Amino acid sequence: MSNNLPYSALGGVFEYLNDDCGYEQWSQYLIKKLAAEGSFESGLDVGCGNGWFTRAFAKAGYRVTGMDISPQMLTKAVELAKKEGLDVRFFCGDIRRLKLDFKPGFITAVNDCINYLSGDELYGAFCSVYKNLVKGGIFIFDISSAYKLKNVLANNTFAEDRENAAYMWFNTLHSDRVEMDITLFLKQSDGKFIRLDERHTQYIHEKNFVISELERAGFSVRTEGHLGLDENQRINFICKKY
């Protein structure tokens, strides 16, 4: 079965297949960053996926809402939050057209969300975030660096075989993006596996261009690497609305 919508197939097993990415350390890094930037009560986790970071923010005492563009991601996010006894609201939405019924003190977009936007879409998305934040609010997000997309992921194939799922991931480099074709095999209740295919596009963004678009939208910006380390493969942007 083919579907070109990202995370239509992966949406239900994304967190399961990424459980080795260091979620706990990553979420604690973000929580410490938020605490250092101010005293915020509410937040929005954009591109929340299956909700790991959303749940971590809720456990840390924030009144947080999760948003994703994939209904399949959100279905699993709701299930996992309920399983942990957390009262977290999730809704389907697009960072380029945020329409919120509250003013969050912080907005996060973790784990490559912004790489799914083309260069032409960045300014509009950043303006959308800026408009919805409270004055003094913080926007924290990351991107996979141009180096990572061009030299680590591009034109490479990755695969993994687990008990309940397996995938093959084929990446092709283009001038401004990497096209990712993913074939997923999911185990069903009868023990048989079904095959699902989907395509992802991640855009290559140079750090200085992202900073210029953020500043054009009104943010002050500073950057650092993953977990505060080097910026070789992942760059964090800590942005404030004055």
Side-chain angles (χ1 to χ4, degrees):
M1 182 186 302
S2 296
N3 193 327
N4 285 332
L5 294 177
Y7 300 108
S8 55
L10 277 172
V13 291
F14 182 79
E15 198 169 295
Y16 166 69
L17 290 174
N18 282 271
D19 60 3
D20 59 352
C21 77
Y23 275 128
E24 184 62 37
Q25 187 179 13
W26 199 346
S27 60
Q28 291 308 307
Y29 160 81
L30 292 167
I31 288 166
K32 289 178 182 177
K33 282 294 168 189
L34 290 173
E37 294 298 331
S39 180
F40 307 115
E41 293 184 0
S42 64
L44 175 70
D45 186 21
V46 170
C48 67
N50 291 162
W52 177 280
F53 297 106
T54 322
R55 300 195 307 274
F57 294 145
K59 292 173 189 175
Y62 292 109
R63 188 173 69 253
V64 64
T65 299
M67 185 191 87
D68 203 279
I69 203 167
S70 164
Q72 292 83 1
M73 281 286 213
L74 292 171
T75 297
K76 190 65 175 182
V78 170
E79 175 190 324
L80 292 173
K82 286 183 177 179
K83 186 176 180 180
E84 295 189 21
L86 297 171
D87 183 18
V88 178
R89 181 166 69 108
F90 294 94
F91 73 98
C92 196
D94 189 328
I95 191 173
R96 295 166 294 187
R97 294 175 289 275
L98 281 181
K99 293 182 180 179
L100 304 179
D101 57 6
F102 69 105
K103 282 274 191 179
F106 70 85
I107 294 178
T108 55
V110 187
N111 199 6
D112 299 345
C113 297
I114 301 301
N115 286 106
Y116 282 88
L117 303 178
S118 69
D120 291 340
E121 294 175 312
L122 292 184
Y123 174 67
F126 295 156
C127 286
S128 178
V129 171
Y130 189 92
K131 178 181 177 181
N132 282 274
L133 273 173
V134 299
K135 186 176 181 180
I138 296 296
F139 176 36
I140 299 179
F141 70 92
D142 62 70
I143 61 170
S144 280
S145 67
Y147 173 84
K148 177 183 176 182
L149 287 172
K150 291 178 180 179
N151 297 285
V152 178
L153 296 182
N155 301 323
N156 276 322
T157 300
F158 302 88
E160 185 174 4
D161 183 12
R162 296 196 179 191
E163 181 180 353
N164 296 313
Y167 68 84
M168 295 181 292
W169 173 16
F170 307 92
N171 298 319
T172 304
L173 178 65
H174 297 271
S175 60
D176 64 339
R177 67 196 186 280
V178 174
E179 297 285 356
M180 304 173 175
D181 290 297
I182 298 174
T183 296
L184 182 68
F185 298 92
L186 292 179
K187 190 175 185 178
Q188 304 300 290
S189 57
D190 61 2
K192 296 180 180 179
F193 284 78
I194 60 168
R195 171 179 170 169
L196 300 164
D197 299 275
E198 64 185 35
R199 171 168 288 184
H200 296 240
T201 300
Q202 287 202 10
Y203 289 90
I204 299 165
H205 299 311
E206 297 292 344
K207 171 184 166 180
N208 288 339
F209 176 70
V210 177
I211 290 174
S212 70
E213 297 299 85
L214 284 163
E215 291 178 340
R216 189 157 73 101
F219 286 105
S220 66
V221 188
R222 72 177 193 276
T223 67
E224 59 187 39
H226 185 53
L227 304 180
L229 304 175
D230 68 80
E231 298 182 352
N232 184 44
Q233 294 201 30
R234 186 174 299 281
I235 306 171
N236 291 310
F237 295 81
I238 299 96
C239 317
K240 188 158 190 172
K241 173 181 177 177
Y242 285 103

